[in-house]
Amino acid sequence: METLESELTCPICLELFEDPLLLPCAHSLCFNCAHRILVSHCSTSKPLESISAFQCPTCRYVITLNHRGLEGLKRNVTLQNIIDRFQKASLSGPNSPTESRRMQTQRPYTATISGTIAGTIGGGGGTGGGSARGSPATSSHSHPHANHTNHNNANHSPAVVAKMDPRISCQFCEQDPPREAVKTCVTCEVSYCDRCLRATHPNKKPFTSHRLVEPVPDTHIRGLTCLEHENEKVNMYCLVDDQLICALCKLVGRHREHQVSSLTERFDKLKAYQVSPGRVSDALMEASKTSAAQTLENNLTNLVKRNSELENQMAKLIQICQQVEVNTAMHESKLVEECDELVEIIRQRKQVIAVKIKESKVMKLRKLAQQIANCRQCLERSSALITQAEQSLKENDHARFLQSARNVAERVAMATASSQVLIPDVNLNEAFDNFALDFSREKKILEGLDYLTAPNPPSIREELCTASHDTITVHWTSEDEFSVTSYELQYTIYTGQTNFISLYNSADSWMIVPNIKQNHYTVHGLQSGTRYIFFVKAINQAGSRNSEPARLKTNSQPFKLDPKTAHKKLRLSNDCLTMEKDESSLKKSHTPERFSGTGSYGAAGNVFIDSGCHYWEVLLGASTWYAIGVAYKSAPKNEWSGKNSSSWVFSRCNNNFLVRHDGKEMLVEASLQLRRLGVLLDYDNNSLSFYDAMNSHHIHTFEISFLLPVVPTFMIWNKSVMILSGLPVPDFVDGVSDLQEQQQQQMGLCRQESPYLTGMKSCH
């Protein structure tokens, strides 16, 4: 209890907190103690109202006060509730259930903390119940007389240290219902009301020796009965069976040959201990020789340890409650500060807009006043002319009329002709068209004011993404564009691993592009013909969320035919994409790279490929004799491709289709109408595949353990062919490749170390 009480003690008055204040440093202080600190700083030149700060007596943190002084600090309501519960538990009497359990274990327990801490932190246990009921024989104290002014101590008999029923009735009353009992006679084993007690227990012998206690239930004073002999009370303890027995059990029962002990002796051995942290009495150590004593010792040790842990947990919970109060106050203060800033911004904008309206009003009124003055001036001139004309019309003297009429008529005619000059241009536009107010968007934003949360995951739009042979442009969308501060793009080469979570956790292989402000980004310098995994992360102050992974691939490496390698009887187009057989002899210099020899009418591409997945197509046209494939740089140039171990080709010879490598040929099935041949070189996965591109049909796949970079090769013996390179891998080809890759992973196929033809795969 001392540990808990120290947590609830004010550092100034050293008493329990009274009306505690919650300081910004998370410590607490009595309101009156805080007031005394302020008073101690007062002087004649420094009144109490002028003091705006003081130091926390615990940590010396400077507490700044606002214009309300101590009233501006928050009350620690949670701490006050804990103190009230603590005081209520401390004031409980010795006969209360909580106090009785406390006396048994001599350990402090706390009452229920309602409100912030829900639940009960307390302890009971120890010995009691059955063990206590064996001790009445040890009582030998004085007993009260009939005046009942002397009460027995509850410790005289452990049997009566039980929970008392406030509604125990007198067992001697003849009236119905019986009156409430005021005492229980342990000797008689009967509860009496006040009237029956005076009648049955006068202040005379032998009744003066009867033990009277507070009313207890009948089951607590009659003791336990034997399980084998009905109505016989247990009065012995069998040491062999660790069991309570009666006298008949020892005399004629199955315990007659067993060693027994009196209840008093056994009770003293098991009960004579003092519970203290980490210590058990010598009597309990002696009793631990039996299994029951060992169990009791272990239970008591665990109970003491548990109670110590509960005290520590209680202290931590109190600190957490105080920290919750501090954090709540901090967040409330931050909320008020942010809202006040918003209100101030609105107030300032209101003033600015109001000034603009007033300025427009002054300008409009100034223009209107000028127009009114012009109208008034024109009106006065016109009225004077009308008056003069009317007077001329009233003139009866012919001579005078003729003399003035001509002059007046000219002036009236002139005034009528110049009416646009006389009548000013009056602007009657009273509206403020350029001051239309529409705050609907701002109102919607204000209605959505809340704590900032991490943005929703963005979504990569694969249908909008584009690629070249070395770049990929990634597009994505986000539902929370206004709350996103920036985006982060992460990508790595796709290795075929289907577990994206483990792939994402291997951070070493990921490239990261931070601080992207737009919803798209172009990644440069990628490998051609390679698949990549992309993630997009949306970030704001509250956190970040990742998109679902997207698999995107770069296009194949573009290439052309290399004129330096073309046979002298081949003619290449200007763009080096078409080759044609030409029997006319052309003068071409001989180089080691050039195809030579009779019948080796070939040319190679101008790139060497050592990584990635690349796809190109060959438009065959009317050619019926050709060989298309790849070869190492060291492949002989004076013989057909496929006749050596350094080249692999698909070939047609009139109506026969075959694949050839290292001089070995194998017929394959293909359509005679084959006009467009697709070639897929997957260098990383060691395969070379051929397709009927028009019919999306797989023809054959070489499995090759590539040792060196390879170059595309082309041979023809009639007509011409055209090359289309730098193409994206078609979906039907990609699907076949994925299926083959999965089959290889499942079957655990081993690649051959030497580049030989291993078989044929047909697509059905």
Side-chain angles (χ1 to χ4, degrees), residues 418-714:
S418 59
S419 58
Q420 293 182 354
V421 179
L422 296 176
I423 300 177
D425 183 13
V426 179
N427 185 5
L428 300 178
N429 183 13
E430 75 283 358
F432 287 73
D433 296 332
N434 55 336
F435 285 97
L437 297 178
D438 182 10
F439 296 145
S440 56
R441 183 173 65 88
E442 288 78 4
K443 290 177 181 178
K444 186 175 181 180
I445 295 176
L446 290 175
E447 289 173 355
L449 285 181
D450 201 347
Y451 279 108
L452 183 64
T453 58
N456 290 325
S459 176
I460 296 179
R461 301 286 302 277
E462 294 189 31
E463 69 277 9
L464 300 179
C465 299
T466 58
S468 68
H469 71 281
D470 62 349
T471 65
I472 292 180
T473 301
V474 186
H475 291 260
W476 61 86
T477 58
S478 175
E479 298 178 357
D480 302 326
E481 290 189 12
F482 292 107
S483 64
V484 175
T485 304
S486 64
Y487 296 97
E488 183 178 279
L489 181 65
Q490 304 180 27
Y491 64 94
T492 188
I493 295 177
Y494 176 60
T495 59
Q497 186 173 355
T498 57
N499 189 345
F500 290 113
I501 297 178
S502 60
L503 178 63
Y504 182 76
N505 292 334
S506 58
D508 295 339
S509 62
W510 287 86
M511 300 297 292
I512 299 176
V513 182
N515 199 28
I516 302 174
K517 300 299 183 179
Q518 298 175 330
N519 286 10
H520 58 85
Y521 187 83
T522 300
V523 182
H524 297 270
L526 301 178
Q527 296 182 18
S528 58
T530 305
R531 285 183 291 181
Y532 288 83
I533 294 292
F534 287 87
F535 284 95
V536 176
K537 180 186 294 185
I539 305 172
N540 63 12
Q541 295 177 350
S544 61
R545 300 282 293 277
N546 283 334
S547 68
E548 291 293 325
R551 290 193 298 175
L552 304 175
K553 54 193 173 185
T554 53
N555 293 341
S556 304
Q557 174 69 46
F559 65 88
K560 297 181 179 181
L561 295 172
D562 187 357
K564 296 179 181 179
T565 65
H567 193 278
K568 62 182 181 178
K569 290 189 177 182
L570 290 179
R571 184 171 66 245
L572 304 185
S573 62
N574 293 333
D575 56 8
C576 293
L577 295 178
T578 302
M579 56 185 288
E580 182 180 2
K581 175 70 183 304
D582 187 1
E583 292 293 342
S584 61
S585 177
L586 299 178
K587 293 183 179 180
K588 294 181 180 178
S589 61
H590 177 74
T591 61
E593 297 87 3
R594 189 180 303 280
F595 281 84
S596 61
T598 304
S600 300
Y601 307 128
N606 61 355
V607 296
F608 284 91
I609 300 173
D610 58 0
S611 64
C613 181
H614 306 270
Y615 178 81
W616 62 90
E617 293 182 356
V618 181
L619 302 183
L620 303 171
S623 179
T624 59
W625 198 357
Y626 52 80
I628 310 296
V630 297
Y632 291 145
K633 183 178 181 180
S634 60
K637 301 297 191 295
N638 58 352
E639 62 182 9
W640 290 5
S641 296
K643 290 289 187 178
N644 50 71
S645 62
S646 300
S647 57
W648 299 259
V649 296
F650 168 81
S651 178
R652 178 179 180 178
C653 182
N654 296 326
N655 294 333
N656 294 324
F657 295 90
L658 53 88
V659 290
R660 184 169 56 246
H661 168 63
D662 199 14
K664 300 176 183 179
E665 296 180 350
M666 183 170 56
L667 294 176
V668 294
E669 295 182 1
S671 173
L672 293 175
Q673 305 301 321
L674 179 62
R675 292 293 180 267
R676 199 170 75 193
L677 178 67
V679 183
L680 177 67
L681 172 62
D682 193 346
Y683 193 96
D684 296 332
N685 290 317
N686 300 317
S687 66
L688 174 65
S689 301
F690 298 94
Y691 298 88
D692 182 348
M694 294 185 65
N695 298 318
S696 304
H697 176 72
H698 172 246
I699 299 175
H700 182 76
T701 295
F702 286 103
E703 291 182 0
I704 309 166
S705 295
F706 291 112
L707 303 177
L708 299 169
V710 294
V711 60
T713 60
F714 309 88

